[in-house]
Amino acid sequence: MSQQHQALFALLQQAIQLQQLRAIDLQFCQWLQQQLPQSSESQLFLSALVSAALAEGHVCIDLRDLEAIIERWPVPIRSTAIQLLPTATEHGLLVDQQIIGDGNGLTPLVIDNQRLYLYRYWQYECKVANRLLSANQALVTPIASHLLKEQLDRYFTSSEQPDWQRIAAAVTTNHLMTVISGGPGTGKTTTVTKLLAIYIENQLAIGHRPIIQLAAPTGKAAARLSESIAQAKNNLPISEQVLSLIPEQGKTIHRLLGARAKSKKFIHNSDNPLLVDLLVIDEASMIDLPMMANIMDALSSQTRLILIGDRDQLASVEAGSVLGDICALPKIACYSKQLSALLATSCDYQADSSTGYPFADHLAFLKKSYRFSVDSGIGELARVCNAGDVEGVERVLQTPFNDLNWLGADADEKQLLKQILQGYSDYIALMKDALSPTELLAGFNRFQVLCALRVGPFGVESINQQLEHYFEKQQLKDLENRWYVGRPVMITRNDNQMQLYNGDIGIACKDPQNGQLKVWFEQGGELRALLPSRLPAHETVFAMTVHKSQGSEFNHVMLVLAQSAKVINRELIYTAITRAKEQFSFLGVVKVLKQAVALTTKRSSGLADRIWRQ
């Protein structure tokens, strides 16, 4: 090993000690050097940076922002690190087709449009972008505008103008792939149920019985989608034949694709596509780039795809911000002349028209919330947060709204526990009465504590421990036993064999048949019971992180936010607020909340450019 390489690895070791890199980033760099000893220090250094960026959710690193990345490093190593960065004129020289390529051959790293990727993630991004863009050319038999208008008139009876739900249905009708984005209470699943009825009617008219599948990233989100679709379809003026073809049970994406034990590969892929005519996926903001690539890979060329989600929510836990990138249309983008004409005829909506951005025709935005009235504090707080209105946050918290409550900023752990016990008082009563698993599951959804952080006095781990100590004192929990009636647990690792996946929530309750304590999960509208010993990795979730709450809704949400951290941002706060259906309580420091609202997440990715560049 050369002296230059030794000096580089010494620098990276310092960066690990200063928590700028991880040990695995150094190991990746060292592995590359062993495989390709001729690699330059700059190439190897960049390999460590792109590995570290992936852990922070970035798909790539922008070579134009390298100095900004290093400027965040501590002074002792910053100047040395900057010297290893290539200049703008040297970016092209990095490509040697051995360690760094341009995508034409297999290399560990790829440079594309001034962005540096791990080869696998470059492939993922290209696969997703190519599939999305190919939807522009895909042939779909169009519905005549006057026939579409008749169907829309039957299902969308609102006199509002514009009727965003009706417009979304019209946009979706003639496209192979569509994204419907909207905030809480905008009627996403109601809209999808109606457009499914329209789709089925048109398919039956040509003698085809379509196969439709519902899916979501987590078991909880899939259950919510199933419940919403089942309720909505029974209120539609449709025949029994159409009604029977609208599915009621959703699956997790892992179950849909056929997850393999101890493998990241799925049963369904380009060689074995899903036998589905139309796939609807809810909570699309939670889908990371690798998973979206797997979804695209499993679709046949004729399968229609509808993605539903809220583009303003937190991005996925893993790398990418796929829904945000898809919906990142330029401000000047608008519908094509053809789609504008269809909307004018079928929806009486005069849209701006342009032919500059064809993919704009595949997006629909629901802009009116029916859940929160004009005097709703939850709705107003979500709005000012989403707009980045820092001063508006404090103004809303100090306004006396019935559904909004600021619990103060100076609570110690004892006061915090008191507030949480008050919120969980109804559920604790259910625990004492040891009622059925159905009642416990329903009771648990009424109140939830959300935290921005896992550790610390106001973090998830501390709050859950405090509650369990309280239950021991109240004799609701045996000191020697981890399990007790009412214990809510969240699965933290996918287990394909048990068909339990990260984010699934179960409640411990005695089996009414034999009195044995089991953990009950709601899956596909039905209850499933397992012995505690059979569960994969899990944790207690009286308190959970905001990230883990995605795909769930609760009647009353309490957000605990007492300290600032770089992971706390506008999207996290907005996501926490919009988990609440009826009541939102904030326990924490307004200054920290305002700082978070001022900070928005920007993940490095080239997906938006691939979709929207001309």
Side-chain angles (χ1 to χ4, degrees), residues 18 135 161 269 308 322 377 381-383 430 468-469:
L18 294 169
Q161 285 294 332
N269 50 44
I308 317 170
V322 179
L381 187 60
R383 186 191 66 77
L430 289 177
E468 295 202 319
H469 289 326

Side-chain angles (χ1 to χ4, degrees), residues 71-118:
E71 284 296 331
R72 297 195 292 268
W73 285 26
V75 173
I77 59 173
R78 186 189 304 163
S79 58
T80 307
I82 288 177
Q83 292 174 15
L84 289 169
L85 299 178
T87 64
T89 57
E90 293 173 336
H91 289 171
L93 301 177
L94 293 169
V95 178
D96 62 1
Q97 298 301 340
Q98 293 184 61
I99 183 171
I100 300 179
D102 56 11
N104 290 321
L106 180 59
T107 54
L109 303 170
V110 173
I111 288 180
D112 187 352
N113 194 29
Q114 293 290 296
R115 295 182 176 92
L116 180 66
Y117 300 79
L118 293 179

Side-chain angles (χ1 to χ4, degrees), residues 265-280:
K265 295 184 178 181
F266 293 92
I267 293 173
H268 292 290
N269 50 44
S270 57
D271 296 324
N272 181 32
L274 291 164
L275 296 177
V276 176
D277 295 301
L278 173 59
L279 173 61
V280 177

Side-chain angles (χ1 to χ4, degrees), residues 369-380 401 403:
S369 175
Y370 297 90
R371 177 180 302 170
F372 304 124
S373 61
V374 292
D375 58 351
S376 165
I378 299 175
E380 183 64 8
F401 288 106
D403 59 352

Side-chain angles (χ1 to χ4, degrees), residues 230-275:
Q231 289 177 349
K233 80 175 195 178
N234 290 323
N235 296 322
L236 297 181
I238 54 178
S239 66
E240 286 297 324
Q241 186 180 23
V242 173
L243 191 69
S244 67
L245 291 175
I246 299 178
E248 291 187 6
Q249 293 193 0
K251 296 180 178 179
T252 63
I253 295 173
H254 280 84
R255 289 187 66 192
L256 173 75
L257 298 183
R260 300 176 186 267
K262 299 181 181 179
S263 173
K264 292 186 177 181
K265 295 184 178 181
F266 293 92
I267 293 173
H268 292 290
N269 50 44
S270 57
D271 296 324
N272 181 32
L274 291 164
L275 296 177

Side-chain angles (χ1 to χ4, degrees), residues 350-408:
Q350 301 299 321
D352 293 333
S353 62
S354 167
T355 56
Y357 295 92
F359 194 74
D361 281 5
H362 300 263
L363 302 182
F365 299 97
L366 303 180
K367 302 180 182 181
K368 179 176 179 179
S369 175
Y370 297 90
R371 177 180 302 170
F372 304 124
S373 61
V374 292
D375 58 351
S376 165
I378 299 175
E380 183 64 8
L381 187 60
R383 186 191 66 77
V384 296
C385 173
N386 205 13
D389 183 357
V390 174
E391 297 308 318
V393 169
E394 188 166 5
R395 172 181 54 80
V396 174
L397 284 177
Q398 293 177 345
T399 303
F401 288 106
N402 291 330
D403 59 352
L404 195 62
N405 188 21
W406 180 30
L407 301 175

Side-chain angles (χ1 to χ4, degrees), residues 217-231:
T218 66
K220 186 70 174 179
R224 277 190 50 233
L225 175 63
S226 303
E227 182 182 352
S228 298
I229 294 285
Q231 289 177 349

